[in-house]
């Protein structure tokens, strides 16, 4: 077991570099109530803080950020190894609707409720998808949002530090030219790798999978090394709050208020003029106003909720919740995507010491923390690891052509929520996205599944290109409460097929003679599960199959109106004025990656788009 929280706090107090930043306080509600700012940003998570940082660079423009969660120096958000734990204290308490594709299972919807958002509590993976993933966004009618348009912003957000571990030790490869040299966010490698990672790499190489030198070059298919969001000097987490807010918190034109919940965008004939919010501590309701724009950055669940409460969204959803329809926009809340995943597990023996289970061994645990305390080395430097495998569909199954053929032949409305049947534009957009997805699944330029390269028996298989679509909608019995989040996992049977193929591939992989030294024995789903149905049912019974990787995307998609989009490529909400969205809800197709690095690039690009239309004549 890891040290108790009490002992960790004592331990952290003795670390001069772990808590180097004094506690940061937010502004008060009384100091902003009724006032007008150039920009009001709803959401102080990753994207909201990036945009606030960039917009407040202009001293003549005032910026206000409103965030529900607190500012925290919780030790669990600082030390990398603690990023392996789900930090429930800094997340919303929200469960999905029962999911028919998962036997009626409801799952926790993982959303950060803290200043800095998911960047404060995630597993710190800092990877990108293949160039083809981002080019798909441009193909869907979003000029400038392909790989070439995003690469400068991937660089702008980061300061990259090469690994200290030598190539001789682990053969870590990288190309620094694809990262930045003076961006706010630190991207680096831990000062430690578990010895058995070498064995995992040996197994992948023996099976002939690609091993690109630098995944961030746009070549992200195969086994690859990735940096993490880690400060290389202190070996502590680098997140959006510390990187983008703390350094500019004293700007007089920037205010951040936490502990408030925005529940309505205020309109004047569909021109956004401000927002209404509730102070959580005393339930008082206040308003603030925006001269230039209201910018929604509340994420893929709460941005559509706020829009719907404001009268912008599917008319039937709004009417059922008793909300006056101001703009019938079916895209608001539709197109929900995530990466469904299975947690398979093998019992293992003969692991090297130390190994990822170090915290359960008192001797290993004491040694690990002592190393971290004295030299910033050892297992405590590691969160979820620095190597991943993203594999194409044809890499994992000989049935890939049949799977793609089946997808192309489907009648899409047979496997979609009802809103698509009633909205030709939404359906047209889905068909375009499905066509692109089928093309990506056919080739080798983009991944279909993720397989983290853990140095022990955990084997996660995550489907990267789901065809199913969920939705977010107001709860008619409590519209201002948590919305209904319906993932519709496996509603399209192709997703279930890809998951099963990933499970079967993982079983074959663990039969690799190179891994035999660990004497692996399958526990989950278990060798008794052989048919497709048996595999799925065993995973469900063991709570090893879930709808989400905390990568909720697409619920206010950036696409043309003819494709059922919610925002245009300049991020403005259709049918409104002075209202923009900058968060994962704009992603039209979820990319094959963890979302953190992508969201920094999106937010950096969004800030430039917003600047251009306000800072220069005629824009």
């Amino acid at each position: 077991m890891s040290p108790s929280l009490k002992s960790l706090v004592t331990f952290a107090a003795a670390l001069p570099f772990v808590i180097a930043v004094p506690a940061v306080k937010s502004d008060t509600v009384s100091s902003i109530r009724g006032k007008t700012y150039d920009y009001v940003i709803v959401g102080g998570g990753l994207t909201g803080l990036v945009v606030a940082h960039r917009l407040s660079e202009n001293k003549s423009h005032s910026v206000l950020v409103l965030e529900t969660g607190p500012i925290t120096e919780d030790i669990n958000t600082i030390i990398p190894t603690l990023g392996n734990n789900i930090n429930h204290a800094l997340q919303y308490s929200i469960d999905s609707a029962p999911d028919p594709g998962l036997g009626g299972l409801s799952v926790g919807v993982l959303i950060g409720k803290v200043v800095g958002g998911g960047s404060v509590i995630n597993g710190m993976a800092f990877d990108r998808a293949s160039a083809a993933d981002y080019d798909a966004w441009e193909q869907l009618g979003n000029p400038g949002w392909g790989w070439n348009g995003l690469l400068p912003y991937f660089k702008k957000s980061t300061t990259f530090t090469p690994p200290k571990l030598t190539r001789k030790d682990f053969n870590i490869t990288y190309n620094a030219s694809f990262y930045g040299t003076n961006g706010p966010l630190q991207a680096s490698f831990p000062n430690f790798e578990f010895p058995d990672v070498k064995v995992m790499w040996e197994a992948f190489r023996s099976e002939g999978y690609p091993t690109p030198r630098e995944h961030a070059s746009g070549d992200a298919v195969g086994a690859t090394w990735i940096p993490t969001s880690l400060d290389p000097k202190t070996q502590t987490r680098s997140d959006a709050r510390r990187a983008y807010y703390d350094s500019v918190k004293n700007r007089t034109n920037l205010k951040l208020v936490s502990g408030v919940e925005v529940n309505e965008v205020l309109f004047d004939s569909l021109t956004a003029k401000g927002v209404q919010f509730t102070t959580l501590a005393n339930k008082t309701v206040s308003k603030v106003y925006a001269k230039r724009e209201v910018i929604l950055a509340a994420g893929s669940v709460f941005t559509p909720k706020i829009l719907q409460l404001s009268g912008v969204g599917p008319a039937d959803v709004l009417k059922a919740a008793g909300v006056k329809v101001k703009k019938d926009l079916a895209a608001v809340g539709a197109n929900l995507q995530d990466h469904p995943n299975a947690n398979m597990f093998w019992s293992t023996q003969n692991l090297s010491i130390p190994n990822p289970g170090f915290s359960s061994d008192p001797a290993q645990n004491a040694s690990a923390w002592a190393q971290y305390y004295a030299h910033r080395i050892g297992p405590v430097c590691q969160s979820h690891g620095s190597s991943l495998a993203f594999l194409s569909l044809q890499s994992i199954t000989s049935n890939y052509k049949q799977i793609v053929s089946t997808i192309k032949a489907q009648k899409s409305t047979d496997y979609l929520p009802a809103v698509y049947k009633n909205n030709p534009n939404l359906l047209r957009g889905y068909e375009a996205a499905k066509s692109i997805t089928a093309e990506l699944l056919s080739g080798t330029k983009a991944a279909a599944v993720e397989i983290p390269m853990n140095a022990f028996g955990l084997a996660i298989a995550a489907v990267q290109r789901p065809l199913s679509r969920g939705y977010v909608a107001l709860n008619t019995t409590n519209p201002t409460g948590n919305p209904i989040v319906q993932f519709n996992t496996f509603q399209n049977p192709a997703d279930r097929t890809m998951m099963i193929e990933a499970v079967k591939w993982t079983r074959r992989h663990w039969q690799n003679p190179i891994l035999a030294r660990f004497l692996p024995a399958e526990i989950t789903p278990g060798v008794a599960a052989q048919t497709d149905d048996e595999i799925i049912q065993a995973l469900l019974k063991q709570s090893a199959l879930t709808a989400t990787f905390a990568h909720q995307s697409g619920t206010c998609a950036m696409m043309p109106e003819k494709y059922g989009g919610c925002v245009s490529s300049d991020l403005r909400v259709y049918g409104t004025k002075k209202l923009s969205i900058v968060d994962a809800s704009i992603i039209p197709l979820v990319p094959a990656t963890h979302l953190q690095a992508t969201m920094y690039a999106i937010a950096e690009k969004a800030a430039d788009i917003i600047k251009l239309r306000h800072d220069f004549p005629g824009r």
Side-chain angles (χ1 to χ4, degrees), residues 434-513:
K434 186 177 83 167
S435 177
I436 291 170
T437 298
E439 184 66 24
L440 293 176
L441 289 171
S442 299
T444 59
K445 297 296 184 182
V449 297
E450 178 197 354
I451 311 289
M453 298 168 68
N454 296 302
F456 68 120
L458 175 63
I460 302 172
V463 172
Q464 299 297 294
R465 305 207 178 280
L467 279 299
S468 302
R469 294 293 185 268
Y471 59 84
V472 174
L474 295 178
N475 186 334
T476 57
T477 62
N478 183 17
T480 60
N482 286 332
I484 295 170
V485 180
Q486 176 55 268
F487 285 109
N488 282 332
T489 311
F490 300 156
Q491 185 173 36
N492 190 306
D495 297 345
R496 185 177 187 271
T497 298
M498 287 189 282
M499 179 65 78
I500 290 166
E501 293 292 350
V503 169
K504 292 177 179 178
W505 176 89
T506 306
R507 282 175 161 172
R508 294 193 300 272
H509 175 69
W510 274 89
Q511 292 173 357
N512 187 315

Side-chain angles (χ1 to χ4, degrees), residues 20-96:
V21 182
V24 182
K25 294 182 179 179
S26 66
D27 294 288
T28 64
V29 170
S30 60
S31 71
I32 67 164
R33 185 181 291 119
K35 293 186 178 180
T36 298
Y37 299 84
D38 287 298
Y39 304 99
V40 174
I41 300 174
V42 180
L46 187 161
T47 56
L49 293 186
V50 172
V51 173
H53 177 112
R54 296 305 184 189
L55 293 182
S56 63
E57 289 173 340
N58 185 329
K59 294 180 181 179
S60 66
H61 290 179
S62 56
V63 180
L64 171 65
V65 181
L66 300 173
E67 165 59 32
T68 304
I71 295 174
T72 182
E73 289 294 345
D74 178 357
I75 194 70
N76 292 284
T77 71
I78 298 171
I79 297 178
T81 191
L82 301 181
N84 287 297
N85 304 322
I86 296 178
N87 193 332
H88 292 290
L90 298 178
Q91 295 195 45
Y92 284 88
S93 179
I94 177 172
D95 292 325
S96 73

